[in-house]
Amino acid sequence: MLKFSVLGALQVRTVSGPAEISGDLQRTLVQTLLISEGQPVSGESLVEEMWGEAVPDNQANALQAHVSRLRRKLRALEPDRPASRVTIHPSGYRLTVAEGELDAAEFVGAVRRAEAALPDDAGNTARLLREALALWRGPVFGGLTGGTLCQLAAARYEEYRMRAMELRFDAELRLGRHAAVLAELAEAHTNHPLRERFCEQLMIALYGAGRQADALDVFRRMRRLLDAELGIQPSPALRRVENAILRHDPALAGDAHVTLLQLA
């Protein structure tokens, strides 16, 4: 069994340790096949991902050579596997990846389970998402995103990461861990200053930690930033959080999930 990781630089792990996939073209080939999560990828798409506009003269032979090289590499890593992981289909090339073998698929599955979790299961949700977020070792593909397919996949996984962080912060706030998540929330808000959800959560965490003035200051700075960068005003949800803080709304002292739903 192999473990493939794309939430960071491409990594292939065997039972005896990591295995190197050498060469940018080979790495791009593996990445493109992995993000399809078991679905065939056309030869034309693979060529575009691997070479972009610098397509070799005999692209079909060049691609086949790289596919053969990958097959040999994977066969050497799994000598007891009865069939090659890389197969050819009428619609293209396919890399067989079983459940639990691709970190990105595991991560997305965890986020979806967290989205479906009940509000009163905050402890398990927070733990699930902490473990899922720990799968990230850096930018998707280590920042070497290749062509359009890999770029779209990187953006999709990054959006799931943002969603996981939001859900995790919600769960932590439901557990009353306002002060405990302040540093992480402040970092998330700083790194994604136009994402209003992080701003809402940071304001609630500051208020819950007894820092009402700081919470209101975060709102004022966000309002100025939105006006300067996008020419818009804060969303109704963000303004309702500000108003609730100004009113000392009792809901802010209760269940944070209920609070955010009531204020939204």
Side-chain angles (χ1 to χ4, degrees):
M1 180 177 178
L2 299 180
K3 290 276 192 176
F4 299 93
S5 300
V6 298
L7 302 180
L10 174 65
Q11 188 178 82
V12 181
R13 297 192 306 278
T14 70
V15 291
S16 57
E20 182 181 1
I21 301 295
S22 59
D24 290 345
L25 291 175
Q26 279 285 292
R27 284 191 289 271
T28 301
L29 172 61
V30 175
Q31 289 172 182
T32 307
L33 291 171
L34 284 173
I35 62 171
S36 70
E37 298 184 12
Q39 298 302 310
V41 183
S42 70
E44 292 82 359
S45 295
L46 287 171
V47 167
E48 184 175 350
E49 289 292 304
M50 293 170 67
W51 285 283
E53 296 181 356
V55 179
D57 292 335
N58 196 331
Q59 56 183 272
N61 286 348
L63 175 60
Q64 186 56 52
H66 277 282
V67 170
S68 297
R69 178 182 167 190
L70 176 60
R71 278 177 167 164
R72 290 194 298 271
K73 176 68 175 180
L74 296 179
R75 189 179 301 119
L77 296 177
E78 296 180 295
D80 297 330
R81 188 179 179 87
S84 175
R85 278 184 179 266
V86 183
T87 52
I88 302 176
H89 299 262
S91 54
Y93 296 86
R94 177 176 181 265
L95 175 61
T96 299
V97 180
E99 183 177 352
E101 291 185 336
L102 176 61
D103 63 348
E106 291 295 289
F107 178 75
V108 170
V111 177
R112 289 174 176 168
R113 290 196 298 277
E115 288 178 323
L118 297 174
D120 59 2
D121 199 21
N124 287 330
T125 299
R127 182 167 54 254
L128 169 67
L129 291 170
R130 282 195 295 270
E131 293 173 355
L133 287 163
L135 294 172
W136 285 74
R137 299 171 289 107
V140 180
F141 311 131
L144 303 175
T145 52
T148 302
L149 293 179
C150 287
Q151 290 168 14
L152 290 173
R156 182 172 71 252
Y157 293 142
E158 179 63 23
E159 183 57 34
Y160 268 106
R161 186 172 76 91
M162 294 296 100
R163 180 61 176 148
M165 292 170 66
E166 291 171 348
L167 290 169
R168 188 219 147 192
F169 289 139
D170 276 351
E172 300 285 11
L173 292 173
R174 288 201 296 275
L175 295 168
R177 297 172 180 166
H178 299 79
V181 296
L182 268 179
E184 290 176 89
L185 262 172
E187 181 180 11
H189 178 53
T190 298
N191 292 338
H192 307 277
L194 296 176
R195 198 171 182 100
E196 291 191 55
R197 183 64 165 175
F198 287 147
C199 184
E200 292 175 28
Q201 294 172 316
L202 178 57
M203 290 169 63
I204 291 172
L206 285 166
Y207 181 83
R211 296 169 57 181
Q212 179 183 0
D214 291 334
L216 294 172
D217 184 57
V218 166
F219 175 82
R220 286 190 290 268
R221 285 188 279 112
M222 183 68 168
R223 181 176 56 196
R224 290 194 297 269
L225 181 65
L226 290 171
D227 182 53
E229 295 290 329
L230 304 176
I232 63 174
Q233 293 298 305
S235 67
L238 188 53
R239 290 198 300 269
R240 281 193 283 271
V241 172
E242 181 212 20
N243 289 333
I245 291 173
L246 289 169
R247 297 193 315 268
H248 298 280
D249 192 322
L252 289 172
D255 186 298
H257 180 75
V258 175
T259 295
L260 290 171
L261 287 179
Q262 288 176 340
L263 298 175

